[in-house]
Amino acid sequence: MKIGIFGGTFNPIHKGHINVAKEVKVKSGLDVLYFVPSYKTPDKKFEIEVIEPKHRFNMVKKTLKAKNLKWLKVSNFEYSQKKVSYTYKTIEYFKNKFPNDEIFWIMGEDRYFGFDRWENYEYIVQNAKIIVYRRNQAINPEIKKDKNVIYLTDNFFNFSSTEILNNLRWDWIPLEAKKYISKNKLYLKTIVFNVLKGKRYQHSVAVASHSKRLSNYYKYLDYKKAWYAGLVHDLFKLHSNEFLKNYLKKHDEEIYNKKIPEPALHGYVCALWIRDEYLWKDKELFNAIAGHTLSTSNPGKLDKIIYLADKISTDRKGDKIGKLRKLAYKNLDETFNKVLKQSIKKLNKRKIPIHEFTIDAYRNSIDPRFMKNKYENNLKRNK
C-alpha cells in the first residue's frame, strides 16, 4: 500500500491543501493520504497571534470529515507529542505503524530548497519517497533534474495560508474550517495586523482596548464582543472607495441604496464581511461596526461604546480629546450626545448633507423633533 504524509501547520487549512492532496493521489497512485498538523515547527516565525495547535488540528479534522473521502485521513501524531515536530520522527512513526508499506512525504517546492538541512535529513530520504508539488507557474529545472524526488509539474498551487489572511481570500477556506474559525474567533488580530499595519493597526488596538474598558465600566457584559468590534472596525479603511461601493452593492443592495457617504463605507463593508464571510452573524455586532462613523438609527449601549472608543482612542492627542476621554468614563450617554452634536455641527458648517442614520440617531438620543422643520435645524437650541 502507498501511504502519503502531508505535514504542515495548516494555519489555516484551505482549498489549496485539498487540491494538492487530490493531485498527489492521482499522480502518485496513493492508497491513503494523511494530513499531519504540526504541534510546533522548528523554524519558529514571528506571529502577531498564536493559533493553538488544538485549533489547527480540529480545523483539519472537521474539514476532512466533511469531505467524506475514505482515502483522506488526519493523524494526531505530531499534535499529540506536545513538542517541536520533526519530519524524521513522523516518518519513523509511520514506518513502525506500516512496516510493509511505501511511505511518501509531500512538500511544496518552496520547502524543497533547504530541505537537505532538515533534522536527520538522511533518514528522511532513506525511508520515504519525496513528492514535490509545484508552487510557481514556471517549472524549476533544479528540482526536475533531482532524481531523489517525484516532481509533479502538471499543475501549480500558488495559494498559501499567509496570502489568504493578507488578502482576505475567505472563499479559499473550506466551510467547516470557516465555521470553526468564527466560533473560536480566530485570526482577527492577524488579519487586522496584516491588512492595516503601522499607525492604523495601532489605532485599531487602541479602540479595542477602550471598547473593552468602556464595556466593563458600563456593565456591558460581552466585553469580548466589544473588544473584537473595536479591533476590526477599520479593517477596510485602506481600501478604495470604488472597491467599497462595489462590495456593498454586491453583498447588500438595500444598504447600498441608502447612499452611505464615502467616509463611512468601510464600516458597512467590514460589518458585511464579518457577517457573510467570517460567518459571525450577530446583529448587535453588525450594527456597532457598521455605524461607528454615522452612528446607527437607534443606538444601543454597544453602538455608543464603539462609536466613542473610536473618538477617544489613545492614539488621538490634544486637550479636547483628553477632556472627552475623561467624560466618556463618567457618563456614556452624555458623551455620546455631545460627540453626535459636534459631528452634525461640523457637517452643517461644511454644508455636507446629514445622512438619515445620523438624523435618526439624534432624534432617538437627543431630540425627537430634530430637522422636522426649518427652525429645529439650528443646533444652538440643543446645546
Side-chain angles (χ1 to χ4, degrees):
M1 186 165 68
K2 292 183 176 183
I3 299 173
I5 308 172
F6 194 1
T9 57
F10 303 106
N11 193 24
I13 186 172
H14 55 75
K15 293 177 182 179
H17 293 131
I18 305 300
N19 292 340
V20 166
K22 291 177 179 179
E23 175 86 356
V24 171
K25 183 188 187 305
V26 171
K27 299 298 181 183
S28 302
L30 299 182
D31 296 292
V32 62
L33 190 152
Y34 284 89
F35 276 66
V36 187
S38 63
Y39 181 78
K40 183 179 180 181
T41 58
D43 54 338
K44 186 179 180 181
K45 300 176 182 178
F46 167 76
E47 294 177 301
I48 194 70
E49 173 187 15
V50 178
I51 305 301
E52 293 180 34
K54 70 175 183 180
H55 289 316
R56 295 186 286 103
F57 176 80
N58 287 337
M59 281 189 281
V60 172
K61 185 177 180 180
K62 288 178 178 295
T63 298
L64 298 189
K65 183 179 180 181
K67 293 297 176 186
N68 197 28
L69 298 171
K70 292 182 179 180
W71 58 270
L72 203 53
K73 301 180 182 296
V74 60
S75 168
N76 70 346
F77 170 71
E78 291 187 1
Y79 167 64
S80 65
Q81 299 302 296
K82 310 297 181 186
K83 58 185 179 182
V84 174
S85 305
Y86 288 103
T87 298
Y88 81 92
K89 285 286 188 181
T90 304
I91 290 174
E92 184 179 62
Y93 164 77
F94 275 89
K95 287 289 289 183
N96 291 332
K97 186 174 183 177
F98 305 104
N100 300 317
D101 298 316
E102 284 186 281
I103 304 298
F104 295 77
W105 179 263
I106 302 159
M107 70 169 74
E109 64 180 10
D110 54 325
R111 303 291 288 166
Y112 169 84
F113 298 100
F115 172 50
D116 57 350
R117 296 192 295 273
W118 287 16
E119 188 83 9
N120 217 339
Y121 164 76
E122 294 296 333
Y123 178 88
I124 297 172
V125 295
Q126 288 170 7
N127 289 275
K129 293 182 178 179
I130 309 302
I131 298 176
V132 177
Y133 61 89
R134 188 155 60 99
R135 294 296 303 272
N136 299 298
Q137 191 165 3
I139 295 174
N140 191 295
E142 186 177 339
I143 304 176
K144 193 172 183 180
K145 68 182 181 182
D146 188 342
K147 295 181 181 179
N148 293 320
V149 304
I150 302 167
Y151 186 29
L152 305 182
T153 59
D154 287 356
N155 297 300
F156 70 97
F157 304 88
N158 62 348
F159 264 91
S160 69
S161 298
T162 301
E163 184 179 354
I164 287 168
L165 295 176
N166 286 352
N167 297 300
L168 301 176
R169 288 303 309 269
W170 234 239
D171 54 315
W172 267 78
I173 298 180
L175 180 59
E176 292 304 317
K178 279 198 279 193
K179 288 179 179 178
Y180 187 88
I181 289 169
S182 177
K183 181 180 179 181
N184 294 279
K185 307 300 175 284
L186 306 178
Y187 299 109
L188 287 176
K189 193 171 183 180
T190 301
I191 289 168
V192 172
F193 177 79
N194 289 342
V195 173
L196 296 179
K197 297 182 180 179
K199 291 182 179 180
R200 184 58 59 181
Y201 170 73
Q202 293 171 10
H203 169 73
S204 297
V205 173
V207 173
S209 177
H210 276 291
S211 297
K212 181 179 177 180
R213 287 174 60 194
L214 287 167
S215 295
N216 286 329
Y217 193 83
Y218 290 109
K219 295 181 173 53
Y220 177 78
L221 299 180
D222 199 344
Y223 66 87
K224 287 185 178 180
K225 185 199 293 187
W227 188 88
Y228 282 120
L231 180 70
V232 304
H233 78 288
D234 270 354
L235 180 58
F236 286 85
K237 183 75 171 181
L238 302 182
H239 285 69
S240 69
N241 287 327
E242 182 182 6
F243 171 89
L244 298 174
K245 288 175 183 176
N246 289 337
Y247 191 100
L248 200 58
K249 187 175 183 179
K250 180 180 178 182
H251 289 265
D252 198 314
E253 199 160 348
E254 183 179 348
I255 295 178
Y256 175 79
N257 289 333
K258 294 291 185 180
K259 305 296 181 185
I260 305 297
E262 289 184 350
L265 285 170
H266 66 283
Y268 287 87
V269 170
C270 179
L272 287 169
W273 187 87
I274 289 291
R275 185 190 71 186
D276 298 342
E277 298 191 55
Y278 191 81
L279 303 183
W280 189 351
K281 299 182 183 298
D282 183 305
K283 189 174 181 180
E284 187 183 36
L285 178 83
F286 181 96
N287 289 337
I289 295 172
H292 79 266
T293 302
L294 295 178
S295 184
T296 54
S297 295
N298 193 13
K301 186 176 286 188
L302 182 61
D303 300 316
K304 294 178 181 181
I305 285 171
I306 303 306
Y307 184 84
L308 288 180
D310 183 30
K311 306 298 185 293
I312 66 169
S313 65
T314 44
D315 61 306
R316 301 188 190 275
K317 308 298 181 183
D319 291 339
K320 288 184 178 180
I321 297 295
K323 291 178 181 178
L324 190 66
R325 194 176 292 131
K326 287 182 180 179
L327 182 61
Y329 285 95
K330 290 181 179 179
N331 191 309
L332 183 71
D333 292 336
E334 181 184 339
T335 314
F336 175 80
N337 293 348
K338 181 176 181 176
V339 174
L340 192 60
K341 287 178 182 180
Q342 290 174 348
S343 298
I344 293 177
K345 189 175 182 179
K346 287 178 183 178
L347 292 172
N348 279 334
K349 187 174 181 180
R350 295 165 62 186
K351 297 182 179 179
I352 297 174
I354 303 171
H355 193 270
E356 62 178 278
F357 293 161
T358 307
I359 295 171
D360 288 342
Y362 197 98
R363 287 174 178 169
N364 287 315
S365 298
I366 302 171
D367 186 349
R369 302 167 302 163
F370 176 59
M371 289 189 73
K372 289 188 176 179
N373 62 58
K374 61 181 179 180
Y375 302 106
E376 289 164 354
N377 193 25
N378 186 345
L379 289 181
K380 291 181 180 179
R381 300 176 63 182
N382 298 303
K383 286 187 177 180

